[in-house]
Amino acid sequence: MSTRTEKTGETGTASAELALDLYRQVTRIRALELLLHRYVKEHGFGGFWHPGLGQEAVQAGAVSALRREDYLFYAHRGLGYALVKGMAPEVLLGDLFGRTGGSVGGKGGGTVHFVDPELGVLGQGGTLGSNFVLGAGAATSVQLLGEDRVVAVFFGDGAASRGTFHEAALQASVWKLPVVWICENNGWHLSAPFSAQSPTEDVADRAAGYGMPGVVVDGQDSVAVRAATLAAVERARAGEGPSLVEAKTLRIRGHYEGDPQRYRDDIADGLEVPRDPLRILRERVPAAAADDLDAAAESEAEAALEAALEMPKADPGIVTEGVWT
Amino acid sequence: MSTRTEKTGETGTASAELALDLYRQVTRIRALELLLHRYVKEHGFGGFWHPGLGQEAVQAGAVSALRREDYLFYAHRGLGYALVKGMAPEVLLGDLFGRTGGSVGGKGGGTVHFVDPELGVLGQGGTLGSNFVLGAGAATSVQLLGEDRVVAVFFGDGAASRGTFHEAALQASVWKLPVVWICENNGWHLSAPFSAQSPTEDVADRAAGYGMPGVVVDGQDSVAVRAATLAAVERARAGEGPSLVEAKTLRIRGHYEGDPQRYRDDIADGLEVPRDPLRILRERVPAAAADDLDAAAESEAEAALEAALEMPKADPGIVTEGVWT
Amino acid sequence: MSAIAEVPEGVETEQLGYGRAINAALAEEMRRDERVWMMGQDVAKMGGVFGVTRGLLDEFGPSRVRDTTINETFIVGGAAGAALTGTIPVVELQFADFGLVAGDEIFHKLAKWRYMHGGKLSLPVVVRLPTGVVGGAGAEHSQSLEAIAMHVPGLKVALPATPADAKGLLKTAIRDPNPVLFFEHKGMYRTKGPVPSGDDYLVPFGEAATRRRGDALTVVATGLMVPRALAAAERLAADGIELEVIDPRTLVPLDMETIVASVERTGRALVVHEAVRTAGAGAEIAARIQEAAFFSLDAPIWRLGALDTPIPQDPDLEQLVIPSGEQIEAAARELVAL
Amino acid sequence: MSAIAEVPEGVETEQLGYGRAINAALAEEMRRDERVWMMGQDVAKMGGVFGVTRGLLDEFGPSRVRDTTINETFIVGGAAGAALTGTIPVVELQFADFGLVAGDEIFHKLAKWRYMHGGKLSLPVVVRLPTGVVGGAGAEHSQSLEAIAMHVPGLKVALPATPADAKGLLKTAIRDPNPVLFFEHKGMYRTKGPVPSGDDYLVPFGEAATRRRGDALTVVATGLMVPRALAAAERLAADGIELEVIDPRTLVPLDMETIVASVERTGRALVVHEAVRTAGAGAEIAARIQEAAFFSLDAPIWRLGALDTPIPQDPDLEQLVIPSGEQIEAAARELVAL
Ligand SMILES: Cc1ncc(C[n+]2csc(CCOP(=O)(O)OP(=O)(O)O)c2C)c(N)n1
Ligand SMILES: Cc1ncc(C[n+]2csc(CCOP(=O)(O)OP(=O)(O)O)c2C)c(N)n1
Ligand SMILES: [Mg+2]
Ligand SMILES: [Mg+2]
């Protein structure tokens, strides 16, 4: 079994078309992030919103390497995963606000859960690390059924410490399951810096122990993330087993919106994104096209928010539905 | 943090005195193993006996690298760990047979539990892998109290797959805890060959991912096991953190005594130990001395069995004792 | 007033051990539906630590009968993931106790994932959990933990007490779209009894079996306590005291109707299980009986269960912790006289 | 017949929030005994996700107040190992639910290790478990799981319902040589009340607090249900119906004496908890009440608890799942009239 640890900082090449497509996704996520930031600040909302501001390139780059039929287990930070996989933004916001028009029919809200089996969006475990075993299990189904699908599992640098990673990663390698482990390393497990809670510099350093490739990419560069993920996806699709892709990114905001972050002094409480993925992409796309995409993304986000807020709140009757079939 | 993966097959040098001491321990364990084998075969006994025949060199070599005040979390295979740490054989057998003279007062029996806080023998978790977190926790106490102790945690190649290894190993490395992880790799997780359930050749290949040294030694060579363990123990004692020592050994008998081993065709159902640790040691000790030690070990074992069988069975009253203090 | 046949009359049966009955259910369901598959430690070549899955590897091959490494969180959580994506995993934990090693996966993933995702997903998983004391397996390998599963909504819970039910309930479990915890008593694997031979013998969930009719006292018993209660009932019958013995068979769903109807006739109830008495399933059953039949009760409802202690490893001592037939008999005698 | 002061008369108190009371207990015990230390996720620099441990890092330093990574099995299992070797760990899981992520460590290691090793070892560990609904935390972050702990022998289980008890019970827990699961209600962290200021104010385990005296009905309530029951009692008192409200404070050990004595006077009992009703602690309490006081009962014992469903994530919906003050009031009214 091949084992390598590659640390690439380069951007890789990308066709103009690809760059434009990635720009579109990154700016769509960004527009939603900024809008939600404002909305939550002004109106509050019941629940916990974990902003993904600044991490758009990881979500856009990695998910764009998947096909429609591939499965996705997403993490708790932002809505980008599902947005890029094809879910409508008003549905995602409907879930966030606990509205009937959300994909889980009003049962979401707070730390948002959304789902779309048709698009392969399969959910999220509220207990960090439960995605690992679920993802490996889904990949076992794929293998059993002889399907041409790959399973992508997103997780943070913090969740990487869970024992479920070990159990799932070992078994997935032994069975050569079609899984891609995608680590969004934003440098923080809530208030604990990754650097203080990892004995190695990179999460990817742990891949070799599981006999799988581990790659580190610049998580602000969506083209690089996409390329690394695509390589891992192709390997999985070819029946060669799992890989780990670690994207180095930044958590711009608090763990949840409202987190005073007294534990942190590396960043101001602003909206500025250092090494902004949009700026990095702008070098590859025509300015006018980018401007248009920005504008479209903003309208999309605004329309989605409006639509979501118009959706009725869930009917109380649903609380007892869906426990058993 | 230094990281190395060393695979040594060499025996290392050993003083005559050391070799003699190791011979004494290996033959003591062996004598108990053979006696128990006969006893269980002839008389049966309630419970499960997991024979350690053939793995004596790992237990003797590794435990002899510890000091009296060092802590030991042992595994389920055999009695060698505790015997070498200083517990009396009749006490261990008393535990195995559920007698009042056992260290746990008759509450053991079957998959044996024994304990001796004075000698640092702290117990065993019946759920594989629970030792990892317990051991790291004990090492945290040692660090907090500023004591000069090391914690040794034994585990099999199978138990190495448990997620608790990941959680404990990461934290132990980050906190530089004085732990030594000692893997008895006998090639089997019950009916599953290690080779079919590990993506890497060695368990020690996983050490680098935790920023700790991982060493593979010949588990039939007690001198080599002792040397490797000693290096790890010294590193731990010096405050440099945990290490992993993997000793390659063989499971000669069934998983438990009586296991028909229909899943296995690599070995006959005998008592022959390939690469017998005693034979390997005999090259370094005078034959006469070895013969004397063999004889002493046999008498010790026989006397212990006799003593244990004379101990009264536990009083039924104890079943409700010791739940809470 | 006497024992009732384990299998309805007219059904063709063969004598089979409880473990073999489970094996037959697995084989039949795997033949019936290609999506059904298995994983667990040592379930393939070895056929399971208790020999229950023997022969299935040969018939169904290594893709559908998989040995895992020692990773309970994957065995259960992987089953959840597989169930979400079109297959029907039947997984074995070597001991029911290990359910607590995969506590998150059982109680958060299997039990809640469907609900959390708006009912859009389903998790047809069966987790086979060898339960109870078996002679020297010790505190972490002998527990009866079904009450915990009963307390966490989203799971179904089956506890077969006869070979026929072992087969019939397992087949129902595999066809159920919900996650099912299947507590097989490992002390009963070799118990023989009549087992319906047809492929289509299903035992429905939520229907208690009245194992014996009587008028003096309703005994509600599960698992290993069913034969113990029946034996006690025979001894009492010699003295003219006729016990009604009801085996709920599934705790979720729970057939309180049968139990309550019986207590309304007998006026007295004794609930017996091997699990720890404190906060066990018997507490729930007792609480519900008095809620529903308070004014029919002539005496308090009594419960027998394990003492408030872990199971000692010694095979002689372990039996002192769980209810014996003699204790059931004595309690019944005393309660009837109250 | 009315509410009883939360703190015995004559004791000097200050007004403190429930969370600050816990903080004070931690600080006092760490000052008193050098062996006491803490670990958990974000407990050091951040002072805990709920701010409960704020300031302790500054006073006690990074060796005794440790941030772990995300590793619940280590947090609990490591605490067990540390307790075996001479220190007294007080660990925090961010949500009580995560106890199931460390199920093996809590229910097999903490609960059984002493017993399994012949009583020669002891495990003075406190696991702090923020419990209950808090407004939108969802199915895996809002559960009340104390009944599970009650069912597994070897643990002690505390559930403070007032700031004074939060402090007094935690101090007792830290001084107890047994493992204690300490369920702090995260919806009550900001609830203020009188808290004894002395270092030596301990609330003993196994002594229920009668929060209000009455003769119409005994209400046994825990955690968040205590203030809800007291509020309901005030409303009923306006109609001349006087409830007796008893808060057991610890479920293990459980003070049945106080409860039974009360029911013997009132003839009626209602047990209320936030945990799922099915197989909850209320089932055990109800079963024991009727065992001990059957012939004093004028009506069945009723129970209120959460519905048989996970907690929905939506903050409005979650309140529909657990008992409200109005439901307690209505049930009490109906039961008294029965
Ligand atoms: C098992 C478990 N432990 C702890 C938590 C609480 N928690 C939620 S998010 C978080 C930090 C996660 O860090 P990381 O995985 O790096 O993701 P990030 O928040 O940085 O995106 C923690 C500790 C949880 N949800 N589940
Ligand atoms: C958590 C857990 N899973 C499964 C088991 C059952 N079990 C006991 S020993 C064993 C095999 C262990 O293999 P290994 O760790 O290599 O030790 P060996 O028996 O080879 O010495 C298994 C699966 C257990 N005790 N605990
Ligand atoms: Mg992070
Ligand atoms: Mg092995």
Side-chain angles (χ1 to χ4, degrees), chain C residues 270-286:
Chain C
L270 172 67
V271 190
V272 192
H273 53 60
E274 182 177 336
V276 170
R277 184 188 128 115
T278 303
E284 178 65 26
I285 294 170

Side-chain angles (χ1 to χ4, degrees), chain A residues 11 15 87 90 95 101 119 139 153 168 184 201 205 219 225 243 277 290 299:
Chain A
T11 296
S15 69
M87 288 183 72
E90 62 272 21
D95 281 322
L119 292 169
V153 176
E184 289 183 271
E201 205 184 315
D205 289 329
V225 174
S243 312
S299 334

Side-chain angles (χ1 to χ4, degrees), chain D residues 10 18 23 25 36 38 45 57 59 66 71 93 105 111 140 185 190 200 209 217 227 237 244 265 282 286 300 313 325:
Chain D
Y18 181 101
N23 184 282
V36 180
M38 296 184 23
K45 199 153 180 201
L57 172 67
E59 179 170 357
R66 292 179 176 229
N71 55 14
L93 295 185
E105 288 67 30
E140 299 155 303
H185 201 291
R190 301 221 175 96
D200 293 322
L217 167 68
E244 180 138 311
R265 273 189 292 104
Q313 194 124 27

Side-chain angles (χ1 to χ4, degrees), chain A residues 323-324, chain C residues 100 103-113 115 145-157 179-181 251-252 284, chain D residues 97 100 107 139-140 143-149 275-280 306-311:
Chain A
V323 184
W324 291 274
Chain C
L100 290 169
D104 184 47
E105 288 68 30
I106 291 184
F107 300 109
H108 296 156
K109 301 292 102 61
L110 289 183
K112 300 182 173 48
W113 193 268
Y115 186 86
L145 294 169
E146 63 276 6
I148 300 179
M150 202 179 173
H151 185 51
V152 180
L155 303 165
K156 291 193 174 178
V157 179
V180 179
L181 302 194
L251 290 176
V252 182
E284 178 65 26
Chain D
D97 317 65
L100 290 170
F107 300 108
E140 299 155 303
Q143 290 166 100
S144 298
L145 294 170
E146 64 275 7
I148 299 180
V276 169
R277 184 188 127 115
T278 303
L307 303 177
D308 265 336
T309 145
I311 306 289

Side-chain angles (χ1 to χ4, degrees), chain B residues 11-12 25 75 93 153 207 231 259 281 285 299 315 319:
Chain B
T11 296
Q25 299 295 9
L93 294 181
V153 177
D259 176 1
L281 273 171
V285 295
S299 333
D315 185 279
V319 296

Side-chain angles (χ1 to χ4, degrees), chain A residues 46-48 97-98 106-111 113 125-128 158-159 161-162 189-192 197 259 262-263 265 313-316 318-320 323-324, chain D residues 41-43 45-46 49-50 54 67-72 94-95 97-98 101 134-137 140-141 307-310 312-318 320-321:
Chain A
F48 303 89
F97 296 128
K107 227 169 249 168
T111 310
H113 291 272
T127 43
L128 291 171
S161 308
R162 278 289 320 280
H189 318 171
L190 223 167
S191 78
Q197 292 288 358
D259 176 2
R262 274 187 281 264
Y263 51 81
D265 44 27
K313 286 281 291 179
D315 184 280
I318 69 162
V319 296
T320 53
V323 184
W324 291 274
Chain D
Q41 288 153 31
D42 309 293
V43 297
K45 199 153 180 201
M46 188 190 196
V49 270
F50 297 105
R54 239 176 248 158
D67 274 341
T68 66
T69 185
I70 298 170
N71 55 14
E72 282 75 10
Q94 294 195 331
F95 293 83
D97 317 65
F98 302 169
V101 176
V134 72
E140 299 155 303
H141 293 68
L307 303 177
D308 265 336
T309 145
Q313 194 124 27
D314 189 86
D316 296 330
L317 299 183
E318 76 182 11
L320 302 176
V321 171

Side-chain angles (χ1 to χ4, degrees), chain B residues 55 76-77 156-159 184-190 192 194 251:
Chain B
Q55 302 187 199
H76 58 280
R77 194 154 293 293
D157 49 305
E184 289 183 271
N185 188 339
N186 62 7
W188 292 91
H189 318 172
L190 224 167
F194 171 71
R251 200 188 80 200

